[in-house]
Amino acid sequence: MVKSAGKLETLDKFVIGLADEYNSGFIDSAHSHEKTQLLYASSGVMSVITDKAKFVIPPQRAVWIPSHMSHEVSCRGAVSLRTLYINPSFRRNDSDCHIMEVGQLLHALIIEVTEFDIDYTPHGRERAIVDLLLNEISITPKVPYAAPMPQDPRLIRTCLEIINNLSANYDIDQLAALAFMSRRSFTRAFKRETGMGVAVWRQQVRLLEALSLLSTGASITSVAMDVGYESTGAFSTVFQRSFGVPPSKYQF
């Protein structure tokens, strides 16, 4: 039996995996699943958008998507994807959608489970692998590759303007005007709904976009300019401070 997402959703297995390859530009429009998903790009970079946040998933990271959560997935470049469908009774400490580290052991376990036969019996070797996989998932730390989205339509409008024009250096007064709010009301509401100030949020979405652009092979200089930095040096400094590695790490 050939594996497909639709068939996997109906199987009575606690965990089952699917391996797939997606071309550059692929978009899986907003949808949800009965089961919890773990999306892992073993190569390439994905972006995932939910009602609450925008996420960028570099290689060796995965995104945890709770059951019934609407999400859209897009691929800036070619992506080699491994998906786990997990019984929603299994939960991580953080129940929201989030990005998590994938170390060597978890990587190997994800790959192994996606290679199980679709009719595998959850006993013996397979049961031991699944148990170890779930234990690793439960203790794996989350990482901050996300920009939380506000719920206030006025703030959403401003955030979309920033996302669509990352090279523009709008000041706070201009952004407040886009939201039809006073400067004070805008900054307070933005911090309340996203948990961070406007400047920090804008830096986060710029860096997330940079990850996607770097994955397509774009030069560090062109990426720095595209996301609003005046110099490659300034961009590289902020990138390494945020992600712990230089931008060249994500060039393919």
Side-chain angles (χ1 to χ4, degrees):
M1 186 184 295
V2 177
K3 287 185 180 181
S4 70
K7 291 177 181 177
L8 297 186
E9 287 274 31
T10 64
L11 292 176
D12 185 22
K13 298 285 195 300
F14 201 87
V15 178
I16 195 162
L18 174 67
D20 216 337
E21 307 294 323
Y22 293 100
N23 295 324
S24 176
F26 172 81
I27 297 176
D28 195 2
S29 57
H31 63 285
S32 63
H33 298 274
E34 293 289 326
K35 296 185 177 182
T36 296
Q37 274 189 298
L38 184 73
L39 297 182
Y40 172 55
S42 57
S43 66
V45 175
M46 298 179 293
S47 64
V48 173
I49 299 175
T50 72
D51 292 339
K52 294 184 177 181
K54 176 181 179 180
F55 302 86
V56 171
I57 304 93
Q60 309 313 316
R61 305 291 189 275
V63 59
W64 177 262
I65 305 176
S67 61
H68 303 291
M69 174 171 282
S70 179
H71 59 283
E72 177 183 289
V73 180
S74 59
C75 306
R76 178 66 66 104
V79 171
S80 182
L81 183 65
R82 303 294 180 268
T83 304
L84 298 181
Y85 295 91
I86 303 172
N87 188 299
S89 64
F90 175 80
R91 299 176 182 271
R92 279 169 55 82
N93 288 335
D94 191 327
S95 61
D96 289 335
C97 185
H98 58 273
I99 308 300
M100 48 190 283
E101 295 277 4
V102 177
Q104 292 183 349
L105 177 56
L106 183 54
H107 164 86
L109 292 167
I110 292 171
I111 299 301
E112 187 67 23
V113 170
T114 59
E115 293 177 354
F116 282 179
D117 185 85
I118 196 169
D119 295 318
Y120 81 90
T121 302
H123 302 291
R125 177 179 179 273
E126 287 82 3
R127 173 63 180 271
I129 291 172
V130 168
D131 286 347
L132 183 54
L133 168 78
L134 294 175
N135 182 69
E136 284 299 301
I137 289 175
S138 68
I139 64 175
T140 295
K142 64 182 291 187
V143 289
Y145 294 131
M149 291 293 287
Q151 299 302 301
D152 187 318
R154 298 171 298 175
L155 300 180
I156 292 173
R157 181 170 57 248
T158 303
C159 287
L160 292 176
E161 179 66 23
I162 293 172
I163 290 171
N164 293 328
N165 297 281
L166 286 175
S167 61
N169 288 305
Y170 297 115
D171 61 29
I172 295 295
D173 290 324
Q174 290 173 313
L175 294 174
L178 286 171
F180 299 104
M181 300 170 74
S182 70
R183 178 190 178 103
R184 186 177 184 183
S185 295
F186 173 71
T187 55
R188 285 185 170 183
F190 198 96
K191 181 69 176 292
R192 182 176 62 250
E193 294 210 12
T194 67
M196 59 184 70
V198 179
V200 173
W201 189 91
R202 177 162 51 188
Q203 175 177 287
Q204 187 77 344
V205 295
R206 282 175 165 173
L207 291 173
L208 294 178
E209 176 65 9
L211 284 174
S212 289
L213 292 173
L214 289 166
S215 75
T216 68
S219 72
I220 294 173
T221 299
S222 67
V223 170
M225 300 299 111
D226 287 345
V227 299
Y229 286 86
E230 296 182 355
S231 72
T232 302
F235 166 69
S236 297
T237 297
V238 172
F239 190 99
Q240 178 140 2
R241 186 169 64 237
S242 298
F243 298 130
V245 295
S248 58
K249 175 76 173 179
Y250 291 105
Q251 286 184 302
F252 299 96

